[in-house]
Amino acid sequence: MPTSRYLALLEAPFPEREDVIALLSPSSDEEKAALFARAHAVRRETVGGHVHIRGIIEISNRCSNNCLYCGLRRGNTALARYLMRPEEILACAKTITDAGVRTIVLQSGEDRRADAHEIADIIREIKARTDAAVTLSLGERDRETYRLWREAGADRYLLKHETANRSLFARLRPSTDFDVRVRCLRDLAELGYQVGTGNMIGLPGQSLADIADDILLCRELAADMCPFGPFIPSPDTPLSHAAAGSVELSLLTIAVARIVLRTVHIPANTSLGTLDPDAQRRALLCGANVIMPNFTPYRYRVHYRIYPKTLRETPPLEGLHRALEIIRAAGCTPATDRGDSVRHIPPA
Ligand code: 5AD
Ligand code: SF4
């Protein structure tokens, strides 16, 4: 039987840090089941039962940083680097919208040499040709660059804080600064972006309290979307021999985040699916409401190796078909609207 204290926490309107830590550590399978059921109910009440689909284009794997956990780190000389041409990105965007997907995510490493004006032109062109929302996931840039991209039509920005534990952040992300990252997130929100931030689960040295802090940082920043996904050790990185994050802890985090953060969009990450083919379906049943299939052309996708993945050359819509299969298997239906943050939808 779940303890009455745990059941009470599931209903707490504004859980504090100790409560979040307690929620993340159910003491029995029954408590865990109660958590997942509550998260699923909150998800239906707050963001509905549909699942939003976002189409990802990995436009470049160049990165100026050297994060210890990531295969795109600049020190990884084993990786062939690429930058998709604007016309290739636009063709890929058309594939996404022709398939009925209404959000396009442009993702890359944090490439400080990437030409901000070229990216602005691509955003403008996508917005002129489609009615899709554009999400950027291009790392830390200055406020003026964010403003340029926002004025070009970008709607949303994803910039994971990665970990709210400052010393872990400093150790794992040399030459980057936690305060700068949080400043970027605040700048993005002030510029009118719908903002996404989140963490990695199972980083070496990370505690349950750190994960609670990640969820609470999302609350403090009033994030609109919150990706939480397991760390997967990547060859050719200093953490290649570290243990992978736990799928179960990732699902617990998603469920607790849904209860604490309520109206946010939470993806059933690809990293979950990489560790366990059934984990994304399970995530959709314990709080997640978004899935992000990859549309990057195969010849580039093979080089976007943040962590190892088994890749076959597949037709361009294979990722979408797999996402639809997962949505069906979870007993859900795909959303037909753009899936904006509820905070950004004007009241009727
Ligand atoms: N495992 C899982 N996710 C990773 N990322 C980077 N490296 C890894 C890894 N080894 C995620 C980070 C980053 C995004 C580019 O990919 O959260 O924000
Ligand atoms: Fe670059 Fe981001 Fe990978 Fe760090 S996590 S190396 S910034 S792509």
Side-chain angles (χ1 to χ4, degrees):
M1 274 288 284
T3 59
S4 51
R5 169 165 157 70
Y6 196 82
L7 291 178
L9 279 180
L10 292 176
E11 307 290 335
F14 195 81
E16 303 292 340
R17 185 168 189 261
E18 291 313 310
D19 304 335
V20 178
I21 297 171
L23 281 169
L24 284 168
S25 25
S27 58
S28 62
D29 286 347
E30 288 81 4
E31 282 188 0
K32 184 168 163 181
L35 167 68
F36 285 4
R38 177 72 190 137
H40 193 50
V42 172
R43 171 261 172 103
R44 295 183 82 90
E45 279 163 31
T46 53
V47 290
H50 296 305
V51 178
H52 297 287
I53 301 176
R54 326 286 200 198
I56 296 188
I57 313 175
E58 294 157 337
I59 64 173
S60 165
N61 67 352
R62 295 181 183 169
C63 188
S64 315
N65 290 341
N66 223 4
C67 306
L68 269 57
Y69 46 79
C70 176
L72 302 194
R73 67 199 305 269
R74 69 164 194 273
N76 181 4
T77 49
L79 192 67
R81 304 290 169 159
Y82 71 86
L83 172 64
M84 284 176 71
R85 292 197 308 275
E87 60 272 23
E88 293 173 315
I89 298 170
L90 293 171
C92 194
K94 182 171 183 328
T95 306
I96 293 174
T97 50
D98 284 353
V101 173
R102 301 191 57 201
T103 296
I104 294 165
V105 183
L106 303 181
Q107 193 155 58
S108 75
E110 193 165 302
D111 179 12
R112 279 187 283 280
R113 292 170 315 160
D115 185 326
H117 289 279
E118 243 169 53
I119 291 167
D121 288 342
I122 292 166
I123 297 166
R124 258 190 296 274
E125 206 53 47
I126 293 176
K127 294 301 285 190
R129 294 183 192 187
T130 73
D131 70 349
V134 170
T135 302
L136 304 178
S137 178
L138 309 175
E140 293 173 27
R141 299 290 291 247
D142 59 31
R143 190 179 168 106
E144 286 320 301
T145 302
Y146 288 153
R147 186 193 304 281
L148 174 76
W149 293 342
R150 176 80 185 118
E151 286 170 358
D155 302 274
R156 310 179 189 144
Y157 207 102
L158 268 178
L159 183 72
K160 290 214 229 172
H161 64 268
E162 314 290 5
T163 172
N165 175 329
R166 284 168 178 270
S167 60
L168 198 55
F169 186 102
R171 187 150 28 98
L172 297 181
R173 299 182 51 90
S175 74
T176 72
D177 183 328
F178 181 77
D179 290 318
V180 171
R181 206 158 179 89
V182 169
R183 179 72 252 163
C184 285
L185 287 163
R186 296 195 196 276
D187 282 344
L188 289 160
E190 284 167 20
L191 289 164
Y193 284 93
Q194 297 168 44
V195 174
T197 195
N199 75 351
M200 263 175 296
I201 300 188
L203 291 169
Q206 185 186 45
S207 69
L208 215 54
D210 293 335
I211 295 175
D213 288 338
D214 289 325
I215 295 173
L216 294 174
L217 182 61
C218 293
R219 183 166 78 183
E220 183 189 328
L221 293 170
D224 299 291
M225 17 177 195
C226 298
F228 304 99
F231 158 71
I232 303 175
S234 184
D236 305 309
T237 67
L239 296 184
S240 58
H241 296 296
S246 138
V247 168
E248 293 309 313
L249 182 55
S250 302
L251 294 173
L252 289 170
T253 305
I254 287 172
V256 173
R258 170 59 67 203
I259 288 171
V260 176
L261 304 173
R262 302 191 63 82
T263 53
V264 296
H265 289 303
I266 302 181
N269 306 64
T270 315
S271 55
L272 268 177
T274 303
L275 288 182
D276 174 350
D278 193 37
Q280 285 173 291
R281 180 192 68 83
R282 292 179 63 205
L284 293 179
L285 292 172
C286 69
N289 70 322
V290 172
I291 195 156
M292 303 174 75
N294 195 334
F295 287 80
T296 312
Y298 178 76
R299 65 185 176 286
Y300 295 122
R301 201 163 11 118
V302 284
H303 301 300
Y304 204 86
R305 285 188 179 276
I306 289 181
Y307 47 75
K309 43 192 176 183
T310 37
L311 276 185
R312 302 171 283 122
E313 180 151 13
T314 49
L317 296 185
E318 181 73 12
L320 176 62
H321 292 149
R322 174 79 188 124
L324 290 168
E325 204 177 280
I326 294 167
I327 294 171
R328 241 191 324 272
C332 301
T333 45
T336 51
D337 63 322
R338 275 192 354 168
D340 287 295
S341 165
V342 295
R343 276 197 283 267
H344 288 251
I345 300 172

